[in-house]
Amino acid sequence: MSAQTIVSLPDQSTAKMPKRHYINNEHGLLSWLLTGDHKRIAILYLISITFFFFIGGAFAGLIRLELLTPQSDLVAADTYNKFFTMHGIIMIFLFLVPSVPATLGNFLIPIMLGAKDLAFPKINLLSWYLYLAGGIFTLTALVLGGVDTGWTFTTPLSTHYLNTHVITTALGIFVAGFSSIFTGLNFIVTIHRMRCPGMTWFKMPLFVWSHYAASLLMVLGTPVLAIALVLVLLERLFGIGVFDPTKGGDPLLFQHLFWFYSHPAVYIMILPGMGVISEVIATFSRKRVFGYSAVAFSSVAIALFGFFVWEHHMFIMGVSNYSALVFSLLTMLVAVPSAIKVFNWSFTLQKGSITFETPMLYAFAFIGLFTIGGLTGVFLGALGMDIHLTETYFIVAHFHYVMVGGMLMAFLAGIHFWWPKMTGRMYPESLSKLSAVTSFIGFNLTFMPQFILGYLGMPRRYAAYPPEFQVLNVLSTAGATVLGVGFLLPLLYLGWSLKYGAIAGNNPWQATGLEWQIQSPPPTENFLETPIMDHEAYDYEWLANKTKHEVTTVG
Amino acid sequence: MGHEEHEHVVLPQHRHHFETEEQQREAGSFGMWLFLLTEIMFFGGMFFSYLLYRNWYYPAFATASNTLNIWEGAINTAVLITSGFCMALGVYAAEVRKKGMLVTTLILTTVFGLIFLGIKYDEYHEKYELHHIPGNSFSVAQFVNPHAYGIQEEPLAPDMAQRTQIFFFLYFAMTGMHALHMIIGIALLLWLIKRAQRGDFTNGYVAPIENFGLYWHFVDIVWLFLFPLLYLINRHPLH
Ligand code: HEM
Ligand SMILES: [Cu+2]
């Protein structure tokens, strides 16, 4: 079969906005704040997550500004510590963890499964309020004077030695953690119990599979973070020594508890992004993702392995050589399922007929940057290298390649891909392509120099550095500025498109998922009658037949 | 709402986004099981810490656990199991639609729960009087010099005696978390009793009672681990 013949994007000029949809179904602020509709909750999340992203981004800007010169001249060292702490905490807990699941996952999972809503709409709304409360606590700590523990709340620094607003912040993260637990729980139950007739496990879109795996991690990992934070809080309040070595406690215990969550947490962050990429690649190469079930299972494998490698964050903290070796090997093992995905995407692309719409550009950026990030991760996983590179800018570059280059690009890919579905409108094509290219260039300009800096030995978490590192730092700051523009552009033109964008129609990309078979924006109840899943995921032949049929019935 | 076409009776509690009553019930209980799994991970972190430290500071932990009041602990275990039994009867009552029995068993569950908390309070109070609450007023005198307190125990070296504080910290963290779960449970019970009196759960809609039953049994089971771990291991009589 030749895939090309099937591709013909529909003529959008004739599309009309549906009369009734989830946005205009009810009116007034309260109808949003008390809604049980997963789509509206997704929008609430989208707005609040974007807000926190730009606050976290502002701190990144301040950090880069300080590092423009070798001296610590913009702010004092302790203020600098607060900057990178707030940057890390906001970006990790208030942006990366909820980003794709709470917005796109919330919006799409029920529709992709052919359900009317998530299993527990009220809990879904509750988790948004918990997220908001967590965010507000964290911002309160900021207004009161900030925290300087680093995003890892390292004890005994956080419990005894630092006199900043650890309690407020930790409480914020604790509360936001429950938001993530409830989201994961809601997804798992929905995926198990709410699939429409015909929607077998292996007909589910890969986006759903990746959320299933990520949800397992949220449900199993987040409580351990919660208890670690509770112990920090109690220790700080009562001055006891569970983690303080001078009182017989052991900071390693905190490290174990923290990284037991936080390593899997990197997969909570990245798996949903991988789901987005699978959808985008399938759609714009008009192909079923090569090795569908390998990609599906690799998500679950990542989730399970992810629980066994936490100690690689503790190599330099005096864990035994023997266990370091075991964890080093296990860490390499986790790279395998991620690599499987990258290979399968590449094969899909190779066999497909590719078009370069904006989401696809972001997906390409994802694959390139994530691969670099992942490969450097393997470097770090190798024991000897880690000891040389740890706590240098190499680490910073590594996790930004994975998380920003990976997750953020995936988030933007997903937002651009489903924007027509969520709002019923298209965005300006050339401007959006420009922003994808801008952020890709800006990204590399920002973080490539940091690999070199780290290799040369520039330590992370200092406001001042030796003058010979300045050139690379200036480059990095310049890159951050370009990157900043790349992130601001979408905010502007997506906002613009809400009012002036062309009407999108049901299926502007000619994609096969159930979400594209209903009107855009969808009605409150998603499906007027229960759908039946009668084709495989990404079955373009089915779509072609269906379209032909519709054309003949209309004509 | 478009559900008239289903053959079975549609109860007022049926939420519109579920296809069937059965689907709603299954989703609810599946959700509850998952939630309990997160609770296991939550308590698991504390159990892990406890076992780790117990291993390191074995003498301190053994001595300190000997000062817990084993009788109060044992009575509480019995009280909690009784309350769990009442709850199980309550679930049965809801299933066979006996309103009076449901209300009675829920009230009994609450009463036994409150007795448990009362005894817990007494234990905490005792720790307070002995200066065994971690923090600035914590005293290790009893462990460094037990004979002065009329206790037949090996004295601990001052360094090791300090570690008893970690034992008490974990004791309070774990039993406190458990008690917090009981308090939340009792609040829910009061709400369920009110609704049960209105007959909300004896018309075939038993999901809330069933799910709460799971929660309450989970709280029981956590205690069944806490009791031996904190009170019983290496127990030898104190005179
Ligand atoms: C999948 C997405 C990934 C994300 C989001 C991610 C994120 C991170 C983050 C945030 C850190 C920094 C922790 C800190 O502040 O100390 C880190 C460190 C590390 N990562 Fe990754 N990572 C990912 C994949 C990988 C892979 C595939 C490997 C190895 C095969 C790896 C190996 C490491 C190691 C060994 C460290 C510890 C470095 C050190 O502090 O000594 N990571 N990663
Ligand atoms: Cu890790």
Side-chain angles (χ1 to χ4, degrees):
Chain A
M1 147 195 114
S2 107
Q4 277 86 343
T5 57
I6 300 173
V7 190
S8 65
L9 294 185
D11 178 13
Q12 279 151 15
S13 59
T14 60
K16 277 208 209 82
M17 201 71 163
K19 262 211 190 64
R20 249 194 71 244
H21 47 76
Y22 78 98
I23 303 172
N24 69 8
N25 195 27
E26 281 178 278
H27 294 280
L29 190 61
L30 265 190
S31 76
W32 282 84
L33 295 180
L34 299 177
T35 183
D37 182 354
H38 65 105
K39 299 179 289 303
R40 284 185 160 208
I41 295 173
I43 300 297
L44 292 176
Y45 263 117
L46 183 60
I47 295 168
S48 33
I49 282 174
T50 309
F51 172 74
F52 283 109
F53 173 73
F54 280 99
I55 294 197
F59 279 103
L62 289 172
I63 296 173
R64 283 312 327 163
L65 208 57
E66 166 60 63
L67 294 176
L68 206 52
T69 56
Q71 308 79 22
S72 106
D73 40 16
L74 178 68
V75 291
D78 58 334
T79 312
Y80 181 81
N81 292 348
K82 290 178 183 169
F83 282 178
F84 74 68
T85 301
M86 281 324 260
H87 167 66
I89 289 180
I90 292 178
M91 284 307 199
I92 301 261
F93 295 110
L94 300 177
F95 177 73
L96 284 169
V97 169
S99 58
V100 171
T103 56
L104 296 169
N106 232 330
F107 196 100
L108 294 162
I109 288 177
I111 308 182
M112 285 178 163
L113 296 173
K116 292 201 184 80
D117 206 324
L118 286 173
F120 309 115
K122 282 185 191 152
I123 291 181
N124 196 17
L125 183 65
L126 173 70
S127 64
W128 179 68
Y129 277 105
L130 288 173
Y131 169 80
L132 212 60
I136 288 171
F137 274 125
T138 311
L139 287 189
T140 309
L142 175 70
V143 174
L144 293 178
V147 223
D148 50 0
T149 56
W151 75 272
T152 51
F153 294 101
T154 310
T155 53
L157 276 179
S158 56
T159 48
H160 291 271
Y161 299 117
L162 295 177
N163 202 14
T164 50
H165 298 276
V166 179
I167 295 184
T168 330
T169 318
L171 212 61
I173 302 312
F174 180 79
V175 173
F178 278 92
S179 155
S180 156
I181 291 176
F182 287 142
T183 303
L185 195 146
N186 226 332
F187 285 175
I188 295 180
V189 175
T190 306
I191 294 169
H192 272 267
R193 291 279 181 261
M194 311 277 287
R195 283 172 287 132
C196 70
M199 180 62 77
T200 60
W201 282 85
F202 291 97
K203 279 189 187 162
M204 292 192 319
L206 290 167
F207 181 85
V208 179
W209 270 101
S210 68
H211 275 80
Y212 184 69
S215 304
L216 285 175
L217 289 173
M218 293 185 203
V219 165
L220 293 174
T222 318
V224 182
L225 174 72
I227 192 61
L229 292 177
V230 167
L231 293 178
V232 166
L233 287 176
L234 290 175
E235 172 151 352
R236 206 179 156 88
L237 284 172
F238 297 106
I240 312 127
V242 218
F243 300 131
D244 182 359
T246 62
K247 295 191 177 164
D250 186 3
L252 262 188
L253 173 64
F254 176 79
Q255 295 291 329
H256 279 295
L257 294 177
F258 185 83
W259 286 114
F260 183 79
Y261 164 77
S262 291
H263 184 81
V266 308
Y267 300 106
I268 295 179
M269 297 173 218
I270 203 73
L271 276 168
M274 292 171 152
V276 171
I277 299 306
S278 296
E279 299 301 311
V280 170
I281 295 227
T283 302
F284 296 112
S285 48
R286 311 275 137 200
K287 263 261 144 310
R288 188 165 205 243
V289 173
F290 177 86
Y292 167 96
S293 42
V295 177
F297 282 130
S298 65
S299 294
V300 182
I302 288 176
L304 295 180
F305 290 172
F307 274 118
F308 296 101
V309 299
W310 73 92
E311 235 190 75
H312 66 208
H313 296 271
M314 304 164 60
F315 285 161
I316 53 157
M317 296 177 188
V319 296
S320 75
N321 283 344
Y322 177 70
S323 77
L325 195 66
V326 172
F327 276 98
S328 178
L329 286 174
L330 283 171
T331 300
M332 302 295 173
L333 219 62
V334 192
V336 175
S338 304
I340 291 180
K341 284 185 195 277
V342 175
F343 286 135
N344 284 327
W345 291 327
S346 312
F347 271 120
T348 314
L349 286 170
Q350 200 196 355
K351 293 180 161 186
S353 56
I354 304 172
T355 50
F356 292 95
E357 278 82 358
T358 311
M360 191 65 154
L361 293 184
Y362 279 111
F364 274 110
F366 171 97
I367 296 182
L369 302 178
F370 177 76
T371 308
I372 297 178
L375 287 178
T376 51
V378 178
F379 268 68
L380 291 172
L383 265 181
M385 285 304 263
D386 185 55
I387 291 162
H388 172 66
L389 295 171
T390 196
E391 295 304 322
T392 69
Y393 263 81
F394 196 90
I395 302 288
V396 179
H398 154 68
F399 68 72
H400 282 86
Y401 263 84
V402 176
M403 298 197 304
V404 185
M407 190 55 181
L408 191 56
M409 292 295 165
F411 181 69
L412 287 168
I415 291 290
H416 283 87
F417 186 51
W418 282 291
W419 189 259
K421 182 52 65 183
M422 295 184 354
T423 66
R425 297 202 182 250
M426 301 302 291
Y427 40 80
E429 179 81 24
S430 44
L431 211 50
S432 62
K433 283 184 172 156
L434 178 72
S435 84
V437 174
T438 311
S439 39
F440 183 76
I441 295 174
F443 180 87
N444 282 296
L445 193 56
T446 313
F447 293 107
M448 204 42 104
Q450 296 188 6
F451 272 127
I452 308 172
L453 281 170
Y455 187 76
L456 296 175
M458 176 166 160
R460 65 193 280 207
R461 300 189 168 168
Y462 288 93
Y465 55 85
E468 64 265 29
F469 293 144
Q470 190 173 13
V471 177
L472 288 166
N473 271 300
V474 170
L475 273 182
S476 180
T477 302
T481 316
V482 178
L483 191 56
V485 173
F487 292 151
L488 271 172
L489 273 176
L491 196 64
L492 299 179
Y493 64 73
L494 289 178
W496 177 89
S497 83
L498 286 178
K499 194 139 190 222
Y500 307 103
I503 307 293
N506 294 356
N507 194 358
W509 314 123
Q510 289 297 287
T512 59
L514 281 184
E515 79 270 29
W516 298 107
Q517 317 310 322
I518 58 175
Q519 67 174 51
S520 338
T524 298
E525 48 290 328
N526 298 343
F527 299 94
L528 300 176
E529 52 189 293
T530 309
I532 293 169
M533 182 66 176
D534 53 2
H535 59 280
E536 299 285 306
Y538 319 113
D539 185 345
Y540 287 92
E541 242 165 307
W542 166 85
L543 184 69
N545 288 334
K546 176 175 181 283
T547 318
K548 222 183 292 163
H549 176 72
E550 271 170 10
V551 170
T552 45
T553 43
V554 170
Chain B
M1 293 249 274
H3 289 284
E4 287 73 20
E5 65 271 23
H6 297 304
E7 291 153 56
H8 56 267
V9 197
V10 177
L11 295 168
Q13 294 85 355
H14 182 102
R15 302 257 159 72
H16 73 97
H17 64 289
F18 288 106
E19 292 294 316
T20 63
E21 196 81 25
E22 187 55 27
Q23 188 190 32
Q24 173 172 347
R25 184 167 163 174
E26 279 180 355
S29 92
F30 189 56
M32 195 65 207
W33 279 105
L34 264 182
F35 177 71
L36 295 181
L37 192 64
T38 70
E39 291 270 28
I40 290 175
M41 296 305 290
F42 185 77
F43 278 98
M46 283 187 286
F47 278 110
F48 174 79
S49 312
Y50 178 84
L51 290 172
L52 199 72
Y53 279 122
R54 183 173 184 101
N55 205 17
W56 286 346
Y57 304 132
Y58 181 77
F61 271 56
T63 312
S65 73
N66 267 331
T67 65
L68 298 186
N69 190 328
I70 191 166
W71 290 113
E72 287 193 310
I75 293 171
N76 250 351
T77 308
V79 169
L80 203 56
I81 290 176
T82 315
S83 132
F85 178 69
C86 296
M87 190 61 224
L89 285 180
V91 174
Y92 169 77
E95 272 160 2
V96 298
R97 307 189 182 198
K98 287 190 178 153
K99 184 171 135 187
M101 179 179 172
L102 174 63
V103 173
T104 316
T105 49
L106 289 181
I107 290 175
L108 283 175
T109 309
T110 314
V111 169
F112 283 111
L114 287 171
I115 295 176
F116 180 95
L117 286 176
I119 295 179
K120 193 89 250 154
Y121 171 78
D122 191 60
E123 278 191 77
Y124 281 8
H125 188 72
E126 188 184 309
K127 300 286 164 299
Y128 172 76
E129 302 206 309
L130 292 171
H131 293 283
H132 284 170
I133 298 203
N136 293 335
S137 61
F138 186 77
S139 155
V140 292
Q142 194 187 339
F143 304 111
V144 183
N145 193 3
H147 304 296
Y149 289 80
I151 299 169
Q152 299 292 299
E153 280 270 358
E154 289 296 313
L156 290 173
D159 208 32
M160 187 51 78
Q162 278 300 334
R163 307 298 172 251
T164 55
Q165 189 167 187
I166 297 183
F167 172 84
F168 285 107
F169 178 69
L170 289 168
Y171 164 82
F172 278 107
M174 292 200 272
T175 56
M177 242 353 132
H178 179 259
L180 183 66
H181 277 78
M182 302 260 323
I183 292 170
I184 293 171
I186 287 173
L188 289 172
L189 271 168
L190 295 178
W191 175 68
L192 289 175
I193 291 171
K194 214 178 110 217
R195 291 189 59 191
Q197 277 166 342
R198 282 205 316 243
D200 280 6
F201 308 121
T202 33
N203 56 6
Y205 174 61
V206 294
I209 298 288
E210 280 178 346
N211 290 335
F212 180 79
L214 287 175
Y215 175 84
W216 199 250
H217 292 315
F218 171 80
V219 176
D220 285 359
I221 288 169
V222 168
W223 180 257
L224 290 182
F225 281 94
L226 285 177
F227 178 59
L229 215 55
L230 292 170
Y231 293 73
L232 292 184
I233 317 182
N234 302 106
R235 191 76 194 189
H236 55 86
L238 281 179
H239 294 290

